[in-house]
Amino acid sequence: MRTTAKFSAFQLINNLVMIMLAAVCILPFLHVLSVSLSSSAAVSANQVTFWPIGLNLGSYSKALEDTQLLRSLWISVERTLLSVTLGLLVTSMAAYVLSKGGGRNGIAGYKWFVGFFIVALLFNGGMIPTYLVVTKIGLYNSIWALILPTMVNVFNIILIMNFFKALPKELEEAAFIDGAGHWKVYLRVMMPLSLPVMATVGLFTVVGEWNEWLSGQIYMKPENVPLSTFLKAAISMPNIDIKNAEEAAKFNAVSLNSAQIFIGALPILLIYPFLQKFFAKGIVIGAVKE
């Protein structure tokens, strides 16, 4: 009886903490959305909290008229798609090889490769050496400057590797008996079974690449920056061309920036519900070593 009471108290406290954390995450977003939909007068008077006042879509029409915003949006979409596709391909292949271990059926130099990845996980060259490498090999102001330096993520390799190790060995052995090689086992056995962890790693990559702004500021010219870099610059140094008083009444800098932020967050909000069902399963299975 006492144990049940303690468990119920723990559940209550746990639920309250989770509700508070959810509120901390959701309320700022609701505030940004409300500001973007409110009238300029209400925003200027600081009257908007979590519900729009004086519904107004002028900020969105003004934001979508900005060709640089649309160009940056497309660059972010291109960057994210390439990063997810190439990142999952490279990390899953590395994870498959490392999942074989160093035994008789494993790979030569297994411990050396593991040590190499661990060192890469803990240390990196730093911003200046990375910038010099990117510029010297001719990637400056190229979409590949945003993709290649972060394409191989050691944490994702470990996650997928542990997922592969948790799969039944009999499936792989049966494929080898039927005459399949490593490529067929990887493509036709391991990859179809690893959809949960692939969706999880893909979600990590999408969110990380979509929100990362520093590399765009370092490696790209202003006209080719991704959306996150554009938004950071727009919020830091707003540049609004208001031609008349009627247009000024429709929006101000705060509401326009809020509309731009919501437009930037919308793709992630649309993608996440489709991947959420795989998220918990993938991260739990991939995080447990057999």
Side-chain angles (χ1 to χ4, degrees):
M1 186 70 177
R2 185 177 300 176
T3 303
T4 303
K6 289 182 178 180
F7 182 72
S8 300
F10 170 78
Q11 280 188 319
L12 177 61
I13 295 173
N14 187 54
N15 291 337
L16 290 175
V17 171
M18 295 305 297
I19 291 173
M20 292 174 60
L21 291 176
V24 169
C25 296
I26 294 174
L27 291 181
F29 183 78
L30 288 178
H31 176 70
V32 170
L33 178 60
S34 299
V35 169
S36 69
L37 294 173
S38 298
S39 65
S40 177
V43 175
S44 300
N46 200 24
Q47 297 175 343
V48 183
T49 53
F50 305 116
W51 191 260
I53 298 177
L55 185 63
N56 177 29
L57 299 178
S59 297
Y60 285 93
S61 62
K62 183 67 176 178
L64 294 176
E65 290 174 1
D66 190 344
T67 56
Q68 181 58 52
L69 173 67
L70 298 179
R71 177 171 174 79
S72 297
L73 178 62
W74 168 247
I75 291 173
S76 286
V77 170
E78 184 181 9
R79 170 192 187 179
T80 303
L81 291 177
L82 288 173
S83 296
V84 171
T85 304
L86 297 177
L88 286 179
L89 179 64
V90 173
T91 54
S92 62
M93 287 193 295
Y96 174 77
V97 174
L98 293 177
S99 68
K100 301 303 170 189
R104 184 174 60 181
N105 296 324
I107 60 173
Y110 170 77
K111 292 184 178 180
W112 186 91
F113 283 108
V114 171
F116 174 81
F117 282 115
I118 291 176
V119 171
L121 178 64
L122 298 176
F123 305 99
N124 62 74
M127 183 183 298
I128 295 177
T130 304
Y131 175 81
L132 293 176
V133 171
V134 169
T135 54
K136 290 296 183 181
I137 62 178
L139 296 181
Y140 182 77
N141 199 36
S142 166
I143 188 68
W144 298 108
L146 304 176
I147 298 171
L148 295 181
T150 58
M151 187 174 66
V152 179
N153 188 299
V154 179
F155 174 79
N156 292 340
I157 291 177
I158 295 173
L159 202 65
I160 300 174
M161 178 187 70
N162 289 333
F163 187 92
F164 285 161
K165 286 184 176 181
L167 294 175
K169 298 295 183 183
E170 292 78 8
L171 295 174
E172 188 176 346
E173 292 172 356
F176 282 129
I177 292 174
D178 289 338
H182 282 293
W183 276 109
K184 283 189 176 181
V185 172
Y186 164 74
L187 293 173
R188 299 187 181 182
V189 178
M190 309 300 281
M191 293 299 288
L193 295 174
S194 59
L195 182 60
V197 74
M198 291 298 173
T200 302
V201 172
L203 183 60
F204 285 162
T205 306
V206 167
V207 175
E209 294 293 331
W210 191 266
N211 293 328
E212 204 280 328
W213 62 270
L214 184 59
S215 60
Q217 184 171 316
I218 295 174
Y219 302 130
M220 307 298 285
K221 293 182 179 179
E223 64 272 13
N224 292 325
V225 296
L227 183 62
S228 54
T229 308
F230 171 83
L231 292 177
K232 194 265 182 184
I235 294 172
S236 302
M237 297 177 293
N239 183 18
I240 302 176
D241 183 17
I242 300 177
K243 298 179 180 179
N244 52 58
E246 181 181 353
E247 188 177 0
K250 293 181 181 180
F251 61 90
N252 58 20
V254 177
S255 60
L256 178 61
N257 287 337
S258 299
Q260 292 172 333
I261 291 172
F262 183 77
I263 292 173
L266 188 60
I268 301 297
L269 296 176
L270 296 176
I271 291 174
Y272 184 79
F274 296 100
L275 300 180
Q276 192 272 338
K277 63 180 180 179
F278 300 110
F279 184 79
K281 182 179 178 182
I283 193 67
V284 171
I285 296 179
V288 178
K289 186 175 180 180
E290 191 178 47

